Amino acid sequence: MQWRGALGIKIDGRYLNEDGMKKLTYTLLLGALWGGAVLGSFGAWADISHVSINQQQFVLGAYPKFKINIVAQDTQLDRVQFILSQRSGSERLMVRPLSDYLLEVTGIEDVTDPDAQLIVKEYQVNRWVDVERIALFDAQSADLTQVAAANSGLAQTGISRAGLSHTDAPLASSTMRSSGQLNPQSIEAHCQLNYKGGQTLWRLASQYSGQWNLSPYGAMLAIFDANPKAFNRGDIHGLRADVRLNCPSSEVKQRYLDAELAKQTFEAM
């Protein structure tokens, strides 16, 4: 291909006329645009080389909140997704950068499934690809988060675990004192709560608290007393999604009429 002044371009021994010049220009321009788009799709997001949970800031039954470690050459947040997957459905979580290597990730739907997972997706070329799947409540991490939550509750109320006794907390759960065994006097015969497995204990208790003339804290404690086996490892923060719940008896509900004392008892558990 040769240039010849104003006459145009010589290809294979012939000069292009005006129509030929237009076609060649269009072809070159289209090729440049296509090449740029392809290069852009590959270069817009470098592969994530590392992603992990820095801090899991919630327990089973609460809304998801994490700090996430991430290492990538070019962290464009519109090309990475964090999905909370549980039995009741999936939620795309909100992301806020804290630094070049640390993200805050939060959601609004409470996590009630002990088998819930955090799924990390990356946009590669023209599709979303799973980068990582992280189980949130394996035995070790569940124990750690529940201990942290319990310690936090004790700190907020100014009560030390070592100094807490039945005298200090007269509303301490009778179910806990009986090592998780159900007391038949704790339940109302032939009565079950309307629980579908997708609610937190707080939401469920709030539905019944007015009917029972209790505060939500008192209602949570009453439900816990009437259903000791419905909570993972006997922890009030670990309501299972796959259970049926008994109605607490009048005797149980009478224990938790004092709203302030019920709150203190719950926060100390």
Side-chain angles (χ1 to χ4, degrees), residues 57-75:
Q57 300 173 300
F58 72 101
V59 295
L60 192 66
Y63 70 88
K65 184 177 182 181
F66 306 89
K67 287 184 179 177
I68 300 292
N69 300 316
I70 187 166
V71 179
Q73 187 173 353
D74 184 14
T75 51

Side-chain angles (χ1 to χ4, degrees), residues 19 39 104 110 120 160 175 177 242 260:
D19 287 342
L39 290 174
E104 181 182 73
D110 295 328
V120 184
S160 68
T175 302
R177 292 197 295 268
D242 59 343
E260 185 59 31

Side-chain angles (χ1 to χ4, degrees), residues 53-62 65-66 135-153 161 233 235 237-238 269:
I53 295 176
N54 176 285
Q55 189 176 3
Q56 186 167 315
Q57 300 173 300
F58 72 101
V59 295
L60 192 66
K65 184 177 182 181
F66 306 89
L136 300 181
F137 299 108
D138 56 74
Q140 183 177 5
S141 66
D143 289 343
L144 290 174
T145 52
Q146 287 161 2
V147 168
N151 289 338
S152 174
R161 185 175 295 278
R233 291 171 294 279
D235 191 311
H237 303 284
M269 293 173 68

Side-chain angles (χ1 to χ4, degrees), residues 205-246:
S206 296
Q207 292 176 12
Y208 286 95
S209 58
Q211 177 181 334
W212 297 343
N213 294 318
L214 297 174
S215 69
Y217 289 100
M220 285 193 292
L221 292 170
I223 293 170
F224 182 61
D225 271 12
N227 300 276
K229 295 185 178 180
F231 294 80
N232 289 315
R233 291 171 294 279
D235 191 311
I236 197 168
H237 303 284
L239 177 61
R240 293 166 49 189
D242 59 343
V243 294
R244 294 181 178 180
L245 298 177
N246 299 311

Side-chain angles (χ1 to χ4, degrees), residues 98-159:
L98 300 176
S99 72
D100 290 342
Y101 303 102
L102 190 65
L103 305 174
E104 181 182 73
V105 179
T106 57
I108 58 174
E109 295 295 329
D110 295 328
V111 184
T112 58
D113 183 0
D115 297 320
Q117 291 185 326
L118 177 66
I119 303 173
V120 184
K121 291 179 175 286
E122 177 187 350
Y123 192 76
Q124 297 179 358
V125 185
N126 61 353
R127 64 192 181 96
W128 289 97
V129 177
D130 286 6
V131 174
E132 192 74 48
R133 286 177 172 260
I134 304 171
L136 300 181
F137 299 108
D138 56 74
Q140 183 177 5
S141 66
D143 289 343
L144 290 174
T145 52
Q146 287 161 2
V147 168
N151 289 338
S152 174
L154 291 173
Q156 290 173 5
T157 56
I159 301 172

